[in-house]
Amino acid sequence: MDHLERLAHAVLFPALGRPAIPRWIDGPVAAGLGGFVLFGKDIVDQDQLRGLTAGLRELSPSLHLAIDEEGGDVTRLEAAGGISTPGNLALGRIDDLDATRACAHQIGLALRAAGVTWDLAPAVDTAVNPFSPNGVRCFSGIRAHVAAHAAAWIEGLQAAGVSACAKHFPGHGLSGTDAHLGTPDLDLSRDELVDHYLDPFRSAIAAGVDSIMVSHPRVSALDELPASISAPVITGLLRDELGFDGVVITDALEMRGVADVAPLGEAAVLALRAGADALCLGAWAYGEDVRTAAHAIVEAVRTGDLPAERLEQAADRLRRMGRRGAPDSPLDDEADSGLGLRLARRAARVSGDPLLRGDATLVVRLEPVASPASGGGPGNVETLLATPGRTVEQVTVAAGTYNGPGIVHAAISEFREQYGASGDVVILVRSPHRFEWQAPILDRILATTPDVVVLDMGFPQLDFSAARGWVRTFGASRVCAEAAVEALTGRRG
C-alpha cells in the first residue's frame, strides 16, 4: 500500500451497512480509512453501539466515528433507547441560549458514552422558506437567532469532548427542494450571501466549530456546480471569505443533489479539488463504493487532475481535528436524563381547550410525504395515550389515499356514534401546510366537527384556532410526544 493510496483512503467516510463490523472494511481500514458515518440501520441499542464503536477502534484507534445526532427529529440514539431531546426549532422557540447549550452538552455526553466523537450537527440553516423540508431542523427564521443558538449549541457539544459540524453550508432553508432528491437552487447574489446569509456560519466559526458540512445547493451567482463540488463556494467563500481552516466535510455524495451532476468517483475528485477534506459517501455507500472513490482519487493525482498537496492538506486537517480530548469529569457527574422532557414542556404551546374529556380517543394521522430532510415522525403518541382506562383508536391517511376527506369524515362519525361524549378526536399533523392534499381533509374536519384537538408536531404555519384545542410541539421526538400527551391529559409522567 503506497503513500498515495493511504492518503486517498484517509479522506473517505463510508457507512458500515449493518449493526456488526462487516468483513469488507478490513482492507480499507488497513489502508488508512478516515472513518465511518454511523446511521440508524447500524444501531440496535446502546450496548450494541458501544460494542460496535469499541470494536472499530480496536481495528484502528485513529478512526473518526461520526453520526447525525441533531436531537429532535434527526436522531440516531433515540430509537435505540438513548437520549431524547427537542430539536432546533423547539430550542429556538424557547430562545434560552443556556438551555440550548445544556441540551447540546447532554447530547455530547451521550455520544461520548457511546464511543462517538464527531457529531454532524448542528444544522444552522435559517427557516426563511416555510416550505423547506428542513424547517423543523432550524432554530428560527431569523438569522440573528440562528447565529446565536448555533454558537451556544457548538459550545455545549464541544465542551463534552465531541467535535461539532455546522451544516448545511452555504445554507438550506431558502429552497423548498430536498437535496436528497434533487439539486436545490440558491437564488442569491454574491453580495446577499456575504452581507447576511452566511451569518450563522460566521457565528459557528467564531465559536470554534471543528468542522463544517457543505451540502449540494447550486449557488448560481458563484458557480453552476453544486456547492459540495464547487471551488468558488468551498475555497472562495468558506475558506477565503469566512476564514475557516477546520475540516470541511461534504454532505453525502450519493444524494441526488450531487449524484445527478457527477457520479461518485468524479464527485469525490471534484469535492477534494474544490477544498473539501472529508467525503461523506452516504448511508448506502460502502464496499465497492469505497474502492471506486479511492481509485478515482489516486488516478486523479497521478494524472495531475488533483494536486497531491491538496490531498495531504485534507488528511492533515482530519488528523488534527478533535485533539482537545475529553473533559476530566466523569460522564455520570454531568448527565441529566430529565433535561429533554423539561425543555420539550417549555417549548410546547397550547391554545383553546385540548384536555381529553372521555375514556376513548381517536387519533387521525395525516402522514406527510416521506422526505429524508424532514427526519423521523411522531411514533408513540398513541402508545402514550393508551393508559389503563383509555381506549385509543387510530386512522392513518397518506398522500394518494382515495377520498381522504370522506375516509376521515366516516371514521370520525363512526367513532362519535360509538362513544358519544366520552370520545375525543385528535388530529395529528406535521407541517401540513407543505402538503396540498391535506388541506381538503383539514377543511372538512373543521367545518363539520370542530370539536377536535389538533396536534401539530412539525413546523407550524397554519392557524388551527378554530379547533377546540391546538397543541404545537415544534418537533416530533419522544420527549415532544410526551409533552404533547401531558397537555392532552393534564397529567405529568
Side-chain angles (χ1 to χ4, degrees):
M1 187 69 62
D2 66 19
H3 180 60
L4 177 54
E5 288 178 329
R6 293 191 67 82
L7 285 175
H9 281 84
V11 299
L12 299 182
F13 288 79
L16 277 175
R18 52 180 296 194
I21 297 176
R23 295 182 62 182
W24 71 262
I25 75 169
D26 292 347
V29 170
L33 191 74
F36 296 95
V37 178
L38 304 179
F39 293 91
K41 64 181 180 297
D42 304 322
I43 303 170
V44 176
D45 55 40
Q46 299 301 294
D47 289 340
Q48 172 267 339
L49 178 57
R50 284 190 290 269
L52 178 64
T53 57
L56 290 169
R57 294 199 189 284
E58 284 181 12
L59 293 176
S60 174
S62 63
L63 282 173
H64 287 289
L65 301 182
I67 200 167
D68 286 287
E69 184 61 43
E70 299 176 16
D73 293 20
V74 177
T75 172
R76 309 297 182 225
L77 299 182
E78 181 181 299
I83 188 172
S84 177
T85 63
N88 287 358
L89 187 63
L91 292 173
R93 182 69 185 187
I94 297 169
D95 199 17
D96 178 343
L97 296 181
D98 288 338
T100 295
R101 193 176 291 107
C103 184
H105 193 68
Q106 290 301 311
I107 290 174
L109 295 177
L111 290 175
R112 266 184 57 207
V116 177
T117 55
W118 190 7
D119 190 6
L120 303 181
V124 301
D125 308 309
T126 304
V128 292
N129 180 357
F131 291 93
S132 169
N134 294 73
V136 77
R137 299 163 65 188
C138 301
F139 289 112
S140 171
I142 301 171
R143 214 166 300 281
H145 289 177
V146 175
H149 284 276
W153 209 100
I154 290 161
E155 290 163 0
L157 183 83
Q158 295 193 161
V162 176
S163 292
C165 180
K167 63 185 185 185
H168 306 80
F169 191 87
H172 289 314
L174 181 62
S175 171
T177 301
D178 181 348
H180 293 83
L181 309 176
T183 306
D185 283 309
L186 204 54
D187 188 18
L188 293 170
S189 69
R190 192 184 190 286
D191 287 344
E192 288 173 317
L193 276 168
V194 174
D195 286 348
H196 62 277
Y197 194 82
L198 299 175
D199 284 353
F201 291 96
R202 287 191 178 91
S203 182
I205 293 168
V209 71
D210 279 351
S211 63
I212 289 178
M213 176 182 284
V214 180
S215 192
H216 313 307
R218 182 185 294 108
V219 188
S220 56
L222 300 179
D223 199 353
E224 287 304 308
L225 293 175
S228 54
I229 56 175
S230 167
V233 173
I234 299 179
T235 297
L237 203 57
L238 181 54
R239 297 290 192 201
D240 296 342
E241 190 81 34
L242 270 61
F244 182 63
D245 192 40
V247 168
V248 171
I249 183 171
T250 67
D251 211 341
L253 295 180
E254 70 180 4
M255 292 164 63
R256 290 188 59 184
V258 67
D260 285 349
V261 176
L264 179 61
E266 181 183 351
V269 172
L270 287 172
L272 289 166
R273 199 164 66 193
D277 307 303
L279 308 180
C280 173
L281 302 188
W284 302 99
Y286 32 79
E288 187 60 35
D289 297 306
V290 175
R291 288 186 283 273
T292 296
H295 176 75
I297 294 167
V298 168
E299 287 304 304
V301 174
R302 287 175 175 164
T303 59
D305 287 341
L306 176 66
E309 296 78 15
R310 174 76 271 279
L311 204 53
E312 292 271 13
Q313 181 188 51
D316 182 61
R317 283 200 182 104
L318 281 162
R319 280 192 294 268
R320 289 188 279 118
M321 187 179 71
R323 285 190 175 176
R324 71 174 55 78
D328 295 331
S329 58
L331 294 172
D332 291 342
D333 286 357
E334 297 183 79
D336 181 356
S337 60
L339 179 66
L341 181 54
R342 296 198 303 274
L343 293 176
R345 287 169 178 157
R346 289 178 63 185
R349 296 294 183 270
V350 175
S351 301
D353 177 17
L355 282 176
L356 305 182
R357 301 161 179 164
D359 53 13
T361 303
L362 172 66
V363 178
V364 178
R365 276 179 173 252
L366 302 188
E367 288 290 334
V369 177
S371 170
S374 298
N380 63 337
V381 169
E382 293 86 351
T383 303
L384 292 169
L385 283 172
T387 54
R390 182 186 301 279
T391 298
V392 177
E393 298 182 8
Q394 176 186 328
V395 61
T396 300
V397 179
T401 300
Y402 174 73
N403 191 22
I407 289 173
V408 172
H409 180 74
I412 293 175
S413 298
E414 183 178 341
F415 178 80
R416 284 280 168 80
E417 184 176 339
Q418 179 176 357
Y419 292 102
S422 65
D424 295 284
V425 177
V426 176
I427 311 300
L428 176 54
V429 295
R430 190 163 174 250
S431 310
H433 64 283
R434 295 187 55 236
F435 310 103
E436 290 184 8
W437 63 269
Q438 295 188 15
I441 299 176
L442 292 167
D443 289 345
R444 183 165 181 180
I445 292 172
L446 295 176
T448 58
T449 53
D451 187 29
V452 299
V453 177
V454 176
L455 171 56
D456 189 345
M457 301 188 72
F459 188 95
Q461 187 72 11
L462 299 182
D463 184 345
F464 291 109
S465 57
R468 187 189 91 204
W470 179 19
V471 179
R472 289 156 286 172
T473 59
F474 305 92
S477 68
R478 184 177 71 240
V479 290
C480 289
E482 291 172 0
V485 169
E486 289 179 354
L488 294 172
T489 62
R491 296 194 302 269
R492 289 198 169 189

